[in-house]
């Protein structure tokens, strides 16, 4: 454990790691949405005719996946 504490690798903050990953993805040609883009779409489906069906299907899928993992 002592060797890890004296490592020459820099300790990066979460924001620094995120920025580094975004740069790597952009170099690969991946379009990266702004970090807070999810806030624009959060809740936007509620009230649509497909909302309840999407919720039901999501719950069904989670139940199946959890059952298969047991």
């Amino acid at each position: 454990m002592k060797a890890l504490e004296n490592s020459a690798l820099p300790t990066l903050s979460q924001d620094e790691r995120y920025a580094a990953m975004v740069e790597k993805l952009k170099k690969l040609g991946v379009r990266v949405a702004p970090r807070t883009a999810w806030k624009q779409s959060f809740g936007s489906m509620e009230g649509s005719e497909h909302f309840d069906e999407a919720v039901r299907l999501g719950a069904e899928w989670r139940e199946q996946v959890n059952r298969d993992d047991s």
Side-chain angles (χ1 to χ4, degrees), residues 4-40:
L4 292 176
E5 293 172 9
N6 294 328
S7 174
L9 295 176
T11 303
L12 301 176
S13 71
Q14 183 179 8
D15 289 335
E16 291 168 327
R17 290 192 311 266
Y18 176 80
M21 181 57 64
V22 167
E23 286 306 311
K24 287 180 184 180
L25 289 170
K26 285 181 178 181
K27 286 179 182 177
L28 292 171
V30 176
R31 190 175 139 255
V32 180
R35 191 172 192 174
T36 58
W38 66 272
K39 291 179 181 181
Q40 295 172 349

Side-chain angles (χ1 to χ4, degrees), residues 51-67:
F51 179 75
D52 291 334
E53 178 71 0
V55 170
R56 184 188 67 75
L57 289 171
E60 189 177 290
W61 175 81
R62 285 187 300 278
E63 183 180 317
Q64 179 183 358
V65 168
N66 289 333
R67 185 176 43 235

